[in-house]
Amino acid sequence: MSGRMGLALAGATLVIAAVLLPNKAEAQFGLRGGPLGVARFAVGHMLGLSRLRHSRMAVRGSRYRSAALRAQDPRGAERGRLTNPYVLRAALTAQAALSGWHGGRRPQGWWRHPDGSYGWTGPVFWPFAHDDLTTAIMFGDTTSLSFYGYGDIYAAIFSPYAVTELAAYTAPQSRRGRRVPTAETLCEASDTGGLPVDRIAGAVQPNELQRTALDELASAWNAARDTIGTACPAQAPANASERLGLMRERIGAMIKAIDAIEAPLSKFVDLLNDDQKARLNALANERRAALAAVQRKDAQAAAACQPDYDPRYDERAQRQYEQLVQQQWPAADIASTLHLDETGRARLEVLQDTTLRTMQTLSACPTEPAATPQARLAAVKARLQAMLQEVGGVADALDDFEADLSDEQKAGFEAIGPKRGA
């Protein structure tokens, strides 16, 4: 993060902390030393909030089909269609997620991304993982990637699914027209065409040697998709520990996929002359321009990162804070259900604090994407490594917390999420 953006974030979060977050919020979220983490999370995740209403309307106005995730390309803007790709993604993932949760009848939304999409669709974490890597590295578009963080970790700990609802995603299809998609179908959502070879070739006009390198890169990109696919769950994770473990597997697979494409990407780009490199990088600029045409309100949301931003006059900031209140820790439910002793309460506080700190670590105001694909690859990898470290820290704290719990207490802890979603 640049110094300017760091100052902008600090100024915005301090103002929000003073204006939007009363003292009771500190108690609600359990943040020691003030609600700065909540404020940081609110500012960093206001991007895309203006799309939320439209994506919800798209969900209500259409019906889910299992083939939709395979047949639809959620990134239509890069193919020249004047559509908002994130609205389509939100519609697809919301319908997929809610089809197994209470039959899709009672969506509460407390585990939804700010743009209306879902990071967890049934038992699958990060269904568009491969697609996000492609758009972030080749087109400098990290919109969806930036939404992953605290909310998904929170959803892993307090999943709103009952066991039978979650298992429906991995059960054999026995009825025609089954509304609950399989986990395999959800994981295949990442396969939206792989590397856009034709667009790249059309832009840089490669010679024979460069074309060979581009084909090698495309093969590596497809292999990266397969690497991520191996982390698709064959069975539904049964508890919070398994869900955090699945997050680690999926993020680790994404990092492994990036490692596999790093060398062929550098080889291809290094073979280009300066003019070809400029034309390759222009593809990212074209994508941002196409998205800007259908996301004009995002510029207003991004104003929250400016030093002179005043949230008292921003209705979106107020709504975002209300959503954050939905993600407060259910400390009262845990205390009344588990009857923890002093050691258990201390370990719960460590788990809670460890999880809440991910707000600050994984939330930030946006920065301009790096100018080259190699630099963007490095930035994406660093982001994923930070996420992996944070998820690992939460998983370790959860293991410590549950170490001395009885089976009855563990079952009570697992029941809290579905009870909150009911």
Side-chain angles (χ1 to χ4, degrees):
M1 181 184 301
S2 67
R4 178 180 178 184
M5 294 307 297
L7 290 174
L9 177 58
T13 52
L14 287 175
V15 172
I16 290 184
V19 177
L20 292 183
L21 303 176
N23 291 333
K24 66 179 182 180
E26 181 173 351
Q28 287 173 336
F29 284 88
L31 281 175
R32 289 163 178 75
L36 179 60
V38 180
R40 185 187 299 269
F41 179 72
V43 173
H45 282 62
M46 281 209 321
L47 294 180
L49 191 61
S50 61
R51 296 189 294 267
L52 182 57
R53 180 175 64 86
H54 301 289
S55 59
R56 283 177 174 169
M57 291 175 61
V59 172
R60 288 196 296 266
S62 58
R63 295 176 60 85
Y64 175 79
R65 293 291 182 269
S66 294
L69 287 169
R70 290 192 299 264
Q72 296 283 357
D73 182 354
R75 305 294 186 165
E78 74 183 43
R79 296 186 176 180
R81 296 193 298 271
L82 192 59
T83 59
N84 190 328
Y86 300 102
V87 168
L88 178 56
R89 165 186 283 213
L92 292 176
T93 58
Q95 291 177 66
L98 299 179
S99 62
W101 182 27
H102 304 298
R105 293 188 298 274
R106 291 179 286 176
Q108 300 298 313
W110 56 265
W111 57 313
R112 190 191 306 247
H113 282 189
D115 67 342
S117 65
Y118 283 74
W120 282 93
T121 53
V124 177
F125 172 66
W126 211 320
F128 287 93
H130 183 252
D131 186 53
D132 282 344
L133 294 185
T134 301
T135 54
I137 294 171
M138 296 309 302
F139 299 106
D141 179 7
T142 59
T143 303
S144 296
L145 189 148
S146 66
F147 289 147
Y148 283 86
Y150 168 78
D152 303 294
I153 297 173
Y154 182 92
I157 298 175
F158 301 109
S159 171
Y161 285 105
V163 174
T164 54
E165 294 168 346
L166 198 61
Y169 288 90
T170 54
Q173 294 194 30
S174 58
R175 299 189 302 273
R176 184 176 181 181
R178 181 174 179 268
R179 290 182 60 83
V180 181
T182 64
E184 182 181 5
T185 296
L186 297 175
C187 290
E188 288 177 357
S190 288
D191 184 9
T192 55
L195 188 72
V197 175
D198 291 342
R199 288 197 63 204
I200 294 173
V204 304
Q205 296 295 310
N207 58 34
E208 184 176 352
L209 182 61
Q210 293 166 343
R211 180 68 203 211
T212 299
L214 178 57
D215 291 340
E216 292 174 357
L217 175 59
S219 296
W221 220 278
N222 290 334
R225 176 198 60 210
D226 296 338
T227 296
I228 296 172
T230 61
C232 183
Q235 296 180 340
N239 51 52
S241 180
E242 291 185 8
R243 288 188 291 271
L244 289 170
L246 178 60
M247 291 184 76
R248 297 171 81 170
E249 289 181 19
R250 292 283 286 177
I251 297 172
M254 294 174 72
I255 294 173
K256 185 177 180 181
I258 287 177
D259 288 339
I261 64 178
E262 183 174 8
L265 177 64
S266 294
K267 177 181 177 181
F268 169 67
V269 175
D270 289 345
L271 287 172
L272 302 179
N273 59 40
D274 290 344
D275 180 61
Q276 288 174 312
K277 290 178 181 178
R279 281 183 270 148
L280 177 63
N281 292 331
L283 293 178
N285 298 331
E286 292 172 3
R287 177 178 175 81
R288 286 194 291 272
L291 290 176
V294 293
Q295 296 172 355
R296 294 185 180 91
K297 292 184 180 180
D298 286 353
Q300 300 172 7
C305 292
Q306 299 303 316
D308 57 351
Y309 171 70
D310 189 341
R312 290 175 296 181
Y313 305 105
D314 192 337
E315 181 181 354
R316 289 188 300 272
Q318 298 281 351
R319 293 204 315 268
Q320 183 68 5
Y321 170 64
E322 293 171 1
Q323 289 184 10
L324 287 173
V325 171
Q326 292 182 316
Q327 292 182 336
Q328 63 184 289
W329 270 67
D333 283 349
I334 296 174
S336 62
T337 301
L338 274 60
H339 304 291
L340 298 174
D341 58 19
E342 185 176 347
T343 300
R345 288 194 297 271
R347 289 175 174 174
L348 176 61
E349 288 181 358
V350 172
L351 172 60
Q352 183 174 338
D353 290 349
T354 301
T355 306
L356 287 165
R357 278 199 299 270
T358 66
M359 283 187 182
Q360 300 182 44
T361 307
L362 300 178
S363 300
C365 283
T367 57
E368 285 296 318
T372 66
Q374 299 101 311
R376 292 193 290 267
L377 181 147
V380 171
K381 182 177 179 179
R383 166 73 179 185
L384 292 175
Q385 288 174 327
M387 288 188 63
L388 185 61
Q389 181 176 350
E390 294 301 318
V391 173
V394 173
D396 291 343
L398 177 64
D399 288 343
D400 290 343
F401 168 64
E402 293 188 329
D404 295 328
L405 296 184
S406 66
D407 290 341
E408 182 180 359
Q409 286 174 310
K410 291 178 181 178
F413 184 73
E414 286 299 322
I416 290 174
K419 182 170 63 175
R420 295 192 69 214

